[in-house]
Amino acid sequence: MNRTLRIGTRGSALALAQTGHVADVLRAAGADVEIVTISTPGDRSSAPIAEIGIGVFTSALRDALANDEIDVAVHSYKDLPTARDPRLSLAAVPPREDPRDALVARDGLTLGELPTGSKVGTGSPRRAAQLEALGLGLDVVPLRGNVDSRIRRVAEGELDAVVLARAGISRLGRTAEITETLEPIQMLPAPAQGALAVECRVDDVDTEHLLQSTLDDSASRAAVTAERALLAELEAGCSAPVGALADVVEDLDDQGAVVLRLSLRGVMATEDGDLLRASATGDLTAAEELGRALAVELLDLSGLAAARSEGRS
């Protein structure tokens, strides 16, 4: 490739760290790159994400890419709307960071050690629903801001703890401040948490090939495809907080040979605050179908839960 690749990113410390990693891989492959910082509506607002809308961190980047202002866009995959943008190609999903959530608490405490009434900050309805469902008597409070500002509110005593994506803390080199990594049995992460999405224009075949050959990880792509398919299906049927996590696992086929399969877990909160959980396993090549099927199961469970609730009233 003879031209310099312009890689677009948000200007936050985390976004720049993520994009820097992508740029380093491309440089190692012999590409000439420059990083272009683009401001997004999400960066300019302090309102809750639910109020300012889906895609607030990605739409400006996608428009810049489609308008040939940049050649590559790097996103936190979980920030992307589930609907495909026909102008763009999702050329690469790099190897995924640890997708779990993490606790940063005062005095090195774990979630179970926090006293009743402790203030725990999160900007995610998904995290809030799962924290409250644990029955620990925590005071879960809304929170916006970057990783640094959220952790600082613990250090300054305004909050007892915050829950963040472990991947973001890791990419900023601050894992020493994590007091507990939350296992999926306690808290399922957001669909595609810890994964990056690297896009180019749909007609830029040379860039697409370069990104796929240097950055794409098939296992990470399959896992997040299943998780995002579950989310897309649920968005059509409800607006409840959703968590999902897919893992590539070893299984035995009918002949007893070891094969790789996809194991998917999902959780959805009801309006009453109950958590509905389901899981399924499927072929790596049918990740999207697996996600949709599990979403249908969760929707069925939500209908049953609503019926039971009406029967009690």
Side-chain angles (χ1 to χ4, degrees):
M1 183 171 288
N2 297 322
R3 61 192 170 97
T4 297
L5 278 180
R6 300 161 297 171
I7 306 177
T9 178
R10 294 170 56 205
S12 71
L14 177 56
L16 289 168
Q18 293 173 168
T19 303
H21 169 71
V22 170
D24 288 344
V25 173
L26 291 172
R27 288 191 186 104
D32 186 17
V33 304
E34 68 170 302
I35 294 176
V36 179
T37 302
I38 293 174
S39 176
T40 74
D43 298 313
R44 298 190 293 270
S45 173
S46 60
I49 300 299
E51 292 181 12
I52 53 180
I54 295 171
V56 291
F57 294 119
T58 59
S59 58
L61 278 172
R62 288 180 137 185
D63 288 343
L65 181 55
N67 295 333
D68 198 18
E69 297 167 23
I70 54 176
D71 304 299
V72 177
V74 179
H75 311 280
S76 290
Y77 202 155
K78 66 183 179 66
D79 291 339
L80 284 176
T82 54
R84 179 180 172 273
D85 188 328
R87 305 171 298 175
L88 309 176
S89 168
L90 176 55
V93 179
R96 187 183 198 175
E97 281 268 4
D98 189 331
R100 294 175 294 176
D101 285 305
L103 184 79
V104 177
R106 63 174 176 83
D107 306 322
L109 297 175
T110 64
L111 199 58
E113 292 169 341
L114 286 169
T116 299
S118 293
K119 285 190 175 182
V120 180
T122 175
S124 161
R126 169 192 59 83
R127 290 184 183 125
Q130 293 185 84
L131 282 169
E132 289 167 357
L134 290 172
L136 299 175
L138 303 173
D139 181 12
V140 181
V141 298
L143 183 66
R144 274 290 309 274
N146 58 31
V147 173
D148 178 67
S149 66
R150 295 187 191 202
I151 293 177
R152 190 185 315 124
R153 292 175 72 172
V154 177
E156 293 175 352
E158 184 179 345
L159 297 172
D160 295 296
V162 292
V163 179
L164 304 165
R166 181 183 170 89
I169 300 173
S170 175
R171 288 183 177 124
L172 291 172
R174 301 183 66 168
T175 53
E177 296 172 76
I178 294 173
T179 58
E180 183 182 13
T181 299
L182 302 176
E183 295 301 326
I185 195 169
Q186 296 173 284
M187 184 174 296
L188 278 177
Q193 185 162 297
L196 301 181
V198 185
E199 293 185 313
C200 65
R201 285 180 295 280
V202 73
D203 58 355
D204 189 352
V205 179
D206 289 341
T207 299
E208 183 179 45
H209 176 72
L210 174 65
L211 297 175
Q212 285 177 344
S213 61
T214 57
L215 290 163
D216 196 54
D217 179 71
S218 59
S220 297
R221 183 184 279 269
V224 298
T225 295
E227 296 164 16
R228 296 265 299 175
L230 179 146
L231 178 62
E233 191 75 20
L234 289 178
E235 283 177 345
C238 76
S239 58
V242 174
L245 181 62
D247 296 293
V248 177
V249 297
E250 289 187 349
D251 198 3
L252 296 178
D253 64 15
D254 294 339
Q255 286 73 44
V258 175
V259 293
L260 294 180
R261 289 167 64 80
L262 206 55
S263 174
L264 176 62
R265 290 170 282 179
V267 64
M268 181 176 77
T270 69
E271 292 182 0
D272 297 330
D274 295 330
L275 293 184
L276 305 176
R277 300 179 184 273
S279 61
T281 303
D283 294 335
L284 277 174
T285 54
E288 194 167 328
E289 292 84 347
L290 180 66
R292 287 201 299 264
L294 194 63
V296 170
E297 184 175 342
L298 284 168
L299 287 172
D300 287 345
L301 289 171
S302 69
L304 291 172
R308 285 196 299 268
S309 178
E310 289 176 6
R312 288 194 299 266
S313 61

